[in-house]
Amino acid sequence: MPDQPIVLLTNAMHPDGEAILAPHVRLIVPPDARPETLREWAKDANGIIVRAKLPDDIVDHAPRLKGIVRHGVGLDFIPVDAATARGIAVANLPGSNTSAVAEYVMSALMHLRRPLYRLDKSLRSDGWNAARPAADSLIELSGSALGILGVGTIGRRIANIARDGFGMTVLGTSRRKGALPAGIKEVSLEDLFTRSDAIAVCCGLTDETRGMVSRDLIGRMRPTAVLVNVSRGAVIETPALIDALRSQKIGGAALDVFDVQPLPSNDSLFDCPNLLLTPHTAGITATSGRAMAVGSAEEMLRILRGEQPLNLVNPAYKAA
C-alpha cells in the first residue's frame, strides 16, 4: 500500500493491534468521540475501526472510506445500510469477547446471589459472630433456573457455564421452534420470565427486541428473581425495571448497558436498591481487548488490500 491509507480509530486500542497497522497505514485518533468530531476526522479516512457509536451520516462525511470494522461484535454503532449503499465493507469480530461477557454474567449473578463483600464488610466492622448470620439468607446458584434471552454465541457460552459449572437448569426462548441446542429447555417468552430464578438478557438490539423486556414481563418475575442485562439498554423498559426494584417486586438486577450512554450522574437508576451498575464493560478485559484490537487490525488490512474480510457483514456492498 504505497500511499499509506489513513485509518481512523474512534478510540485508542491495544498496542498490539496498533502495531499491526502502523507499518501499513497512518493511524489517527480524535480527541473525543462526539459526532461532530468524528465527522470532521473521517473526511480523509480510508478506514474506520469502531469502539464508539458513529453518527448515522458518517459516510456522507468520509468520501474516501473503503471499510468499517467493529472492534467487537454489536453493529448498532455502525450505519450498516448507509455503508452498503456507498459500497463500503463492514466487518465485525464475532466471538472475540464471548468469554468476557459470559464471565461477567456469572460474576454478576454471584454478586447478586452471594455478595461476599457484605460478609467481609460486616466481619471487619462488627466482628465474627455478627457477620456469620448474614450468610443464612444467601442463595446458591446450584439447582436454580437461569433463563437466557438471546441464545446466540454468548448465550450458549453462558448456558454451558451455568449448567456444567454451577448445576443450574437453563431455559431459553427462540423464534424458531426447536432451534435451541441440547441442554437448554425451550419455553415461551412469558414462561422464561415466570419460571426463571435469574434472567440473562444478551440478545441483539433490533426493531423486534427494542422494549421486549416489558413491564408485563418484568411483572411476571418471581419476587426473588434477578436480571442481568449485557444486551443494550433499549431492550428493557427501564422505568418498569426501576419500579420493580424500588418496590422490591424482584430480587435485584445488574446492568452494563443503558438507554443513554454515558449514564447521566442524576439518573434514577442510581437510587435503586439491589442494583449493580457497570459502564458497558462486560466485554472488556485485557484479554478480550487484545483479541479485538488484533482482529480488527487484521480485518482492516484485508479490506484495504482489496480482500474480503473474514467476518463481512454486508456482502451486498460490492453491488453498490
mmCIF file of all heavy atoms in Angstrom, residues 12-17 51 70-73 93-104 154 256 280-297:
data_model
loop_
_atom_site.group_PDB
_atom_site.id
_atom_site.type_symbol
_atom_site.label_atom_id
_atom_site.label_comp_id
_atom_site.label_asym_id
_atom_site.label_seq_id
_atom_site.Cartn_x
_atom_site.Cartn_y
_atom_site.Cartn_z
ATOM 1 N N ALA A 12 -8.432 4.886 21.092
ATOM 2 C CA ALA A 12 -7.195 4.108 21.075
ATOM 3 C C ALA A 12 -7.496 2.657 21.437
ATOM 4 O O ALA A 12 -8.457 2.365 22.154
ATOM 5 C CB ALA A 12 -6.197 4.704 22.066
ATOM 6 N N MET A 13 -6.683 1.737 20.929
ATOM 7 C CA MET A 13 -6.901 0.328 21.232
ATOM 8 C C MET A 13 -5.589 -0.313 21.693
ATOM 9 O O MET A 13 -4.563 0.366 21.812
ATOM 10 C CB MET A 13 -7.473 -0.403 20.019
ATOM 11 C CG MET A 13 -6.618 -0.410 18.773
ATOM 12 S SD MET A 13 -7.481 -1.218 17.392
ATOM 13 C CE MET A 13 -6.145 -1.314 16.186
ATOM 14 N N HIS A 14 -5.619 -1.602 21.970
ATOM 15 C CA HIS A 14 -4.460 -2.314 22.500
ATOM 16 C C HIS A 14 -3.249 -2.091 21.590
ATOM 17 O O HIS A 14 -3.363 -2.157 20.362
ATOM 18 C CB HIS A 14 -4.782 -3.807 22.608
ATOM 19 C CG HIS A 14 -3.785 -4.575 23.421
ATOM 20 N ND1 HIS A 14 -2.547 -4.940 22.926
ATOM 21 C CD2 HIS A 14 -3.834 -5.040 24.701
ATOM 22 C CE1 HIS A 14 -1.886 -5.604 23.852
ATOM 23 N NE2 HIS A 14 -2.636 -5.679 24.942
ATOM 24 N N PRO A 15 -2.086 -1.850 22.163
ATOM 25 C CA PRO A 15 -0.890 -1.579 21.357
ATOM 26 C C PRO A 15 -0.560 -2.657 20.333
ATOM 27 O O PRO A 15 0.000 -2.354 19.273
ATOM 28 C CB PRO A 15 0.222 -1.466 22.411
ATOM 29 C CG PRO A 15 -0.474 -1.080 23.664
ATOM 30 C CD PRO A 15 -1.819 -1.735 23.605
ATOM 31 N N ASP A 16 -0.904 -3.905 20.614
ATOM 32 C CA ASP A 16 -0.596 -4.970 19.662
ATOM 33 C C ASP A 16 -1.388 -4.803 18.370
ATOM 34 O O ASP A 16 -0.901 -5.138 17.283
ATOM 35 C CB ASP A 16 -0.880 -6.341 20.275
ATOM 36 C CG ASP A 16 0.146 -6.737 21.331
ATOM 37 O OD1 ASP A 16 1.094 -5.953 21.552
ATOM 38 O OD2 ASP A 16 -0.001 -7.819 21.932
ATOM 39 N N GLY A 17 -2.612 -4.286 18.480
ATOM 40 C CA GLY A 17 -3.398 -4.019 17.283
ATOM 41 C C GLY A 17 -2.841 -2.845 16.505
ATOM 42 O O GLY A 17 -2.728 -2.891 15.269
ATOM 43 N N ARG A 51 -15.020 1.809 18.101
ATOM 44 C CA ARG A 51 -15.250 1.480 19.510
ATOM 45 C C ARG A 51 -16.306 2.390 20.125
ATOM 46 O O ARG A 51 -16.710 2.177 21.274
ATOM 47 C CB ARG A 51 -13.954 1.594 20.315
ATOM 48 C CG ARG A 51 -12.889 0.587 19.922
ATOM 49 C CD ARG A 51 -11.747 0.577 20.918
ATOM 50 N NE ARG A 51 -12.164 0.062 22.215
ATOM 51 C CZ ARG A 51 -11.402 0.094 23.309
ATOM 52 N NH1 ARG A 51 -10.187 0.637 23.250
ATOM 53 N NH2 ARG A 51 -11.833 -0.393 24.451
ATOM 54 N N ARG A 70 -15.804 -3.186 13.188
ATOM 55 C CA ARG A 70 -16.236 -3.068 14.588
ATOM 56 C C ARG A 70 -15.213 -3.737 15.492
ATOM 57 O O ARG A 70 -14.902 -4.906 15.321
ATOM 58 C CB ARG A 70 -17.608 -3.725 14.759
ATOM 59 C CG ARG A 70 -18.137 -3.716 16.198
ATOM 60 C CD ARG A 70 -18.490 -2.320 16.651
ATOM 61 N NE ARG A 70 -19.241 -2.346 17.889
ATOM 62 C CZ ARG A 70 -18.725 -2.154 19.095
ATOM 63 N NH1 ARG A 70 -17.431 -1.929 19.246
ATOM 64 N NH2 ARG A 70 -19.490 -2.184 20.162
ATOM 65 N N HIS A 71 -14.703 -3.009 16.418
ATOM 66 C CA HIS A 71 -13.793 -3.514 17.456
ATOM 67 C C HIS A 71 -14.677 -4.208 18.483
ATOM 68 O O HIS A 71 -14.939 -3.714 19.565
ATOM 69 C CB HIS A 71 -13.044 -2.325 18.066
ATOM 70 C CG HIS A 71 -12.008 -2.678 19.081
ATOM 71 N ND1 HIS A 71 -12.320 -3.047 20.368
ATOM 72 C CD2 HIS A 71 -10.644 -2.702 19.015
ATOM 73 C CE1 HIS A 71 -11.211 -3.261 21.052
ATOM 74 N NE2 HIS A 71 -10.177 -3.058 20.257
ATOM 75 N N GLY A 72 -15.211 -5.375 18.087
ATOM 76 C CA GLY A 72 -16.174 -6.088 18.909
ATOM 77 C C GLY A 72 -17.217 -6.748 18.030
ATOM 78 O O GLY A 72 -16.948 -7.127 16.890
ATOM 79 N N VAL A 73 -18.443 -6.826 18.544
ATOM 80 C CA VAL A 73 -19.484 -7.604 17.863
ATOM 81 C C VAL A 73 -20.679 -6.768 17.439
ATOM 82 O O VAL A 73 -21.089 -6.783 16.279
ATOM 83 C CB VAL A 73 -19.957 -8.767 18.771
ATOM 84 C CG1 VAL A 73 -21.002 -9.615 18.046
ATOM 85 C CG2 VAL A 73 -18.781 -9.639 19.197
ATOM 86 N N LEU A 93 -16.290 -8.801 14.725
ATOM 87 C CA LEU A 93 -15.446 -9.856 15.287
ATOM 88 C C LEU A 93 -16.255 -10.779 16.187
ATOM 89 O O LEU A 93 -16.117 -10.757 17.410
ATOM 90 C CB LEU A 93 -14.295 -9.235 16.085
ATOM 91 C CG LEU A 93 -13.396 -8.254 15.337
ATOM 92 C CD1 LEU A 93 -12.443 -7.585 16.298
ATOM 93 C CD2 LEU A 93 -12.638 -8.954 14.226
ATOM 94 N N PRO A 94 -17.136 -11.584 15.601
ATOM 95 C CA PRO A 94 -17.948 -12.486 16.432
ATOM 96 C C PRO A 94 -17.077 -13.431 17.252
ATOM 97 O O PRO A 94 -16.075 -13.960 16.758
ATOM 98 C CB PRO A 94 -18.781 -13.245 15.393
ATOM 99 C CG PRO A 94 -18.059 -13.093 14.102
ATOM 100 C CD PRO A 94 -17.394 -11.759 14.167
ATOM 101 N N GLY A 95 -17.435 -13.579 18.514
ATOM 102 C CA GLY A 95 -16.699 -14.468 19.398
ATOM 103 C C GLY A 95 -15.512 -13.842 20.103
ATOM 104 O O GLY A 95 -14.933 -14.461 21.002
ATOM 105 N N SER A 96 -15.153 -12.628 19.738
ATOM 106 C CA SER A 96 -13.935 -12.033 20.292
ATOM 107 C C SER A 96 -14.040 -11.712 21.776
ATOM 108 O O SER A 96 -13.029 -11.662 22.479
ATOM 109 C CB SER A 96 -13.569 -10.772 19.516
ATOM 110 O OG SER A 96 -14.637 -9.834 19.540
ATOM 111 N N ASN A 97 -15.246 -11.441 22.263
ATOM 112 C CA ASN A 97 -15.395 -11.140 23.693
ATOM 113 C C ASN A 97 -16.427 -12.041 24.369
ATOM 114 O O ASN A 97 -16.959 -11.712 25.425
ATOM 115 C CB ASN A 97 -15.763 -9.669 23.903
ATOM 116 C CG ASN A 97 -17.071 -9.296 23.211
ATOM 117 O OD1 ASN A 97 -17.750 -10.131 22.625
ATOM 118 N ND2 ASN A 97 -17.435 -8.023 23.280
ATOM 119 N N THR A 98 -16.691 -13.195 23.757
ATOM 120 C CA THR A 98 -17.707 -14.112 24.288
ATOM 121 C C THR A 98 -17.406 -14.532 25.719
ATOM 122 O O THR A 98 -18.270 -14.464 26.596
ATOM 123 C CB THR A 98 -17.820 -15.357 23.393
ATOM 124 O OG1 THR A 98 -18.269 -14.967 22.100
ATOM 125 C CG2 THR A 98 -18.788 -16.369 23.988
ATOM 126 N N SER A 99 -16.187 -14.974 25.966
ATOM 127 C CA SER A 99 -15.840 -15.438 27.313
ATOM 128 C C SER A 99 -15.916 -14.310 28.331
ATOM 129 O O SER A 99 -16.372 -14.508 29.464
ATOM 130 C CB SER A 99 -14.445 -16.061 27.315
ATOM 131 O OG SER A 99 -14.430 -17.269 26.577
ATOM 132 N N ALA A 100 -15.475 -13.117 27.936
ATOM 133 C CA ALA A 100 -15.511 -11.980 28.856
ATOM 134 C C ALA A 100 -16.937 -11.664 29.282
ATOM 135 O O ALA A 100 -17.212 -11.452 30.473
ATOM 136 C CB ALA A 100 -14.875 -10.760 28.201
ATOM 137 N N VAL A 101 -17.866 -11.637 28.313
ATOM 138 C CA VAL A 101 -19.255 -11.314 28.643
ATOM 139 C C VAL A 101 -19.882 -12.425 29.474
ATOM 140 O O VAL A 101 -20.607 -12.170 30.445
ATOM 141 C CB VAL A 101 -20.075 -11.058 27.365
ATOM 142 C CG1 VAL A 101 -21.535 -10.781 27.722
ATOM 143 C CG2 VAL A 101 -19.497 -9.882 26.588
ATOM 144 N N ALA A 102 -19.615 -13.679 29.110
ATOM 145 C CA ALA A 102 -20.178 -14.800 29.865
ATOM 146 C C ALA A 102 -19.681 -14.789 31.306
ATOM 147 O O ALA A 102 -20.462 -15.020 32.245
ATOM 148 C CB ALA A 102 -19.820 -16.115 29.182
ATOM 149 N N GLU A 103 -18.395 -14.517 31.495
ATOM 150 C CA GLU A 103 -17.860 -14.445 32.852
ATOM 151 C C GLU A 103 -18.477 -13.282 33.632
ATOM 152 O O GLU A 103 -18.724 -13.388 34.842
ATOM 153 C CB GLU A 103 -16.336 -14.301 32.814
ATOM 154 C CG GLU A 103 -15.626 -15.572 32.379
ATOM 155 C CD GLU A 103 -14.109 -15.429 32.423
ATOM 156 O OE1 GLU A 103 -13.616 -14.407 32.958
ATOM 157 O OE2 GLU A 103 -13.424 -16.341 31.926
ATOM 158 N N TYR A 104 -18.721 -12.176 32.945
ATOM 159 C CA TYR A 104 -19.373 -11.038 33.604
ATOM 160 C C TYR A 104 -20.748 -11.455 34.127
ATOM 161 O O TYR A 104 -21.120 -11.124 35.272
ATOM 162 C CB TYR A 104 -19.523 -9.878 32.623
ATOM 163 C CG TYR A 104 -20.343 -8.712 33.165
ATOM 164 C CD1 TYR A 104 -19.723 -7.614 33.744
ATOM 165 C CD2 TYR A 104 -21.742 -8.723 33.107
ATOM 166 C CE1 TYR A 104 -20.472 -6.559 34.255
ATOM 167 C CE2 TYR A 104 -22.490 -7.679 33.616
ATOM 168 C CZ TYR A 104 -21.863 -6.604 34.185
ATOM 169 O OH TYR A 104 -22.612 -5.563 34.695
ATOM 170 N N ILE A 154 -22.914 -15.842 22.709
ATOM 171 C CA ILE A 154 -22.720 -15.511 24.127
ATOM 172 C C ILE A 154 -23.702 -16.284 24.988
ATOM 173 O O ILE A 154 -23.332 -16.844 26.028
ATOM 174 C CB ILE A 154 -22.855 -13.998 24.338
ATOM 175 C CG1 ILE A 154 -21.657 -13.276 23.700
ATOM 176 C CG2 ILE A 154 -22.962 -13.657 25.826
ATOM 177 C CD1 ILE A 154 -21.768 -11.764 23.708
ATOM 178 N N ASP A 256 -25.225 -3.442 32.557
ATOM 179 C CA ASP A 256 -23.973 -2.971 31.974
ATOM 180 C C ASP A 256 -24.220 -2.013 30.812
ATOM 181 O O ASP A 256 -23.293 -1.385 30.324
ATOM 182 C CB ASP A 256 -23.149 -4.176 31.489
ATOM 183 C CG ASP A 256 -21.764 -3.772 31.006
ATOM 184 O OD1 ASP A 256 -21.032 -3.139 31.796
ATOM 185 O OD2 ASP A 256 -21.414 -4.073 29.843
ATOM 186 N N HIS A 280 -20.744 -0.310 30.714
ATOM 187 C CA HIS A 280 -20.618 -1.002 29.426
ATOM 188 C C HIS A 280 -19.230 -1.620 29.279
ATOM 189 O O HIS A 280 -18.514 -1.380 28.306
ATOM 190 C CB HIS A 280 -20.907 -0.053 28.258
ATOM 191 C CG HIS A 280 -21.309 -0.789 27.001
ATOM 192 N ND1 HIS A 280 -21.967 -0.182 25.970
ATOM 193 C CD2 HIS A 280 -21.141 -2.084 26.611
ATOM 194 C CE1 HIS A 280 -22.205 -1.066 25.004
ATOM 195 N NE2 HIS A 280 -21.707 -2.233 25.372
ATOM 196 N N THR A 281 -18.886 -2.454 30.245
ATOM 197 C CA THR A 281 -17.562 -3.079 30.269
ATOM 198 C C THR A 281 -17.627 -4.602 30.352
ATOM 199 O O THR A 281 -16.602 -5.250 30.578
ATOM 200 C CB THR A 281 -16.744 -2.561 31.463
ATOM 201 O OG1 THR A 281 -17.517 -2.721 32.678
ATOM 202 C CG2 THR A 281 -16.390 -1.098 31.300
ATOM 203 N N ALA A 282 -18.788 -5.189 30.144
ATOM 204 C CA ALA A 282 -18.914 -6.646 30.268
ATOM 205 C C ALA A 282 -17.959 -7.376 29.336
ATOM 206 O O ALA A 282 -17.421 -8.433 29.682
ATOM 207 C CB ALA A 282 -20.351 -7.078 29.984
ATOM 208 N N GLY A 283 -17.744 -6.830 28.145
ATOM 209 C CA GLY A 283 -16.881 -7.489 27.175
ATOM 210 C C GLY A 283 -15.454 -7.004 27.194
ATOM 211 O O GLY A 283 -14.654 -7.409 26.341
ATOM 212 N N ILE A 284 -15.109 -6.157 28.158
ATOM 213 C CA ILE A 284 -13.781 -5.544 28.166
ATOM 214 C C ILE A 284 -12.916 -6.151 29.266
ATOM 215 O O ILE A 284 -13.213 -6.029 30.460
ATOM 216 C CB ILE A 284 -13.869 -4.022 28.350
ATOM 217 C CG1 ILE A 284 -14.661 -3.388 27.210
ATOM 218 C CG2 ILE A 284 -12.472 -3.411 28.426
ATOM 219 C CD1 ILE A 284 -14.879 -1.892 27.361
ATOM 220 N N THR A 285 -11.863 -6.810 28.843
ATOM 221 C CA THR A 285 -10.798 -7.267 29.733
ATOM 222 C C THR A 285 -9.491 -7.062 28.970
ATOM 223 O O THR A 285 -9.504 -6.785 27.765
ATOM 224 C CB THR A 285 -10.939 -8.758 30.088
ATOM 225 O OG1 THR A 285 -10.807 -9.538 28.884
ATOM 226 C CG2 THR A 285 -12.283 -9.054 30.747
ATOM 227 N N ALA A 286 -8.366 -7.235 29.641
ATOM 228 C CA ALA A 286 -7.092 -7.148 28.934
ATOM 229 C C ALA A 286 -7.019 -8.219 27.848
ATOM 230 O O ALA A 286 -6.505 -7.988 26.748
ATOM 231 C CB ALA A 286 -5.935 -7.310 29.918
ATOM 232 N N THR A 287 -7.581 -9.389 28.139
ATOM 233 C CA THR A 287 -7.547 -10.500 27.191
ATOM 234 C C THR A 287 -8.389 -10.205 25.957
ATOM 235 O O THR A 287 -7.926 -10.320 24.816
ATOM 236 C CB THR A 287 -8.053 -11.788 27.861
ATOM 237 O OG1 THR A 287 -7.332 -12.008 29.067
ATOM 238 C CG2 THR A 287 -7.883 -12.985 26.941
ATOM 239 N N SER A 288 -9.635 -9.816 26.183
ATOM 240 C CA SER A 288 -10.519 -9.560 25.045
ATOM 241 C C SER A 288 -10.099 -8.296 24.299
ATOM 242 O O SER A 288 -10.246 -8.199 23.074
ATOM 243 C CB SER A 288 -11.977 -9.427 25.503
ATOM 244 O OG SER A 288 -12.173 -8.259 26.282
ATOM 245 N N GLY A 289 -9.566 -7.311 25.026
ATOM 246 C CA GLY A 289 -9.131 -6.073 24.390
ATOM 247 C C GLY A 289 -8.034 -6.326 23.367
ATOM 248 O O GLY A 289 -8.054 -5.772 22.262
ATOM 249 N N ARG A 290 -7.103 -7.184 23.714
ATOM 250 C CA ARG A 290 -6.041 -7.512 22.768
ATOM 251 C C ARG A 290 -6.616 -8.284 21.575
ATOM 252 O O ARG A 290 -6.262 -8.015 20.423
ATOM 253 C CB ARG A 290 -4.945 -8.332 23.435
ATOM 254 C CG ARG A 290 -3.803 -8.651 22.473
ATOM 255 C CD ARG A 290 -2.768 -9.605 23.039
ATOM 256 N NE ARG A 290 -1.695 -9.791 22.057
ATOM 257 C CZ ARG A 290 -1.778 -10.630 21.026
ATOM 258 N NH1 ARG A 290 -2.873 -11.347 20.827
ATOM 259 N NH2 ARG A 290 -0.761 -10.735 20.172
ATOM 260 N N ALA A 291 -7.479 -9.255 21.853
ATOM 261 C CA ALA A 291 -8.053 -10.062 20.774
ATOM 262 C C ALA A 291 -8.840 -9.197 19.796
ATOM 263 O O ALA A 291 -8.749 -9.376 18.573
ATOM 264 C CB ALA A 291 -8.952 -11.156 21.355
ATOM 265 N N MET A 292 -9.611 -8.231 20.322
ATOM 266 C CA MET A 292 -10.406 -7.370 19.449
ATOM 267 C C MET A 292 -9.520 -6.407 18.656
ATOM 268 O O MET A 292 -9.794 -6.120 17.488
ATOM 269 C CB MET A 292 -11.453 -6.614 20.274
ATOM 270 C CG MET A 292 -12.572 -7.510 20.782
ATOM 271 S SD MET A 292 -13.911 -6.632 21.640
ATOM 272 C CE MET A 292 -13.129 -6.244 23.199
ATOM 273 N N ALA A 293 -8.471 -5.909 19.292
ATOM 274 C CA ALA A 293 -7.565 -4.993 18.594
ATOM 275 C C ALA A 293 -6.837 -5.702 17.460
ATOM 276 O O ALA A 293 -6.760 -5.201 16.324
ATOM 277 C CB ALA A 293 -6.562 -4.395 19.573
ATOM 278 N N VAL A 294 -6.292 -6.871 17.741
ATOM 279 C CA VAL A 294 -5.575 -7.633 16.715
ATOM 280 C C VAL A 294 -6.528 -8.045 15.597
ATOM 281 O O VAL A 294 -6.218 -7.908 14.408
ATOM 282 C CB VAL A 294 -4.896 -8.868 17.339
ATOM 283 C CG1 VAL A 294 -4.377 -9.817 16.255
ATOM 284 C CG2 VAL A 294 -3.758 -8.442 18.263
ATOM 285 N N GLY A 295 -7.704 -8.549 15.974
ATOM 286 C CA GLY A 295 -8.673 -8.984 14.971
ATOM 287 C C GLY A 295 -9.149 -7.854 14.083
ATOM 288 O O GLY A 295 -9.249 -8.012 12.853
ATOM 289 N N SER A 296 -9.439 -6.697 14.676
ATOM 290 C CA SER A 296 -9.927 -5.570 13.871
ATOM 291 C C SER A 296 -8.826 -5.004 12.986
ATOM 292 O O SER A 296 -9.080 -4.581 11.855
ATOM 293 C CB SER A 296 -10.518 -4.482 14.776
ATOM 294 O OG SER A 296 -9.567 -3.999 15.710
ATOM 295 N N ALA A 297 -7.585 -5.017 13.466
ATOM 296 C CA ALA A 297 -6.462 -4.551 12.642
ATOM 297 C C ALA A 297 -6.276 -5.453 11.431
ATOM 298 O O ALA A 297 -6.096 -4.978 10.293
ATOM 299 C CB ALA A 297 -5.183 -4.515 13.477
#
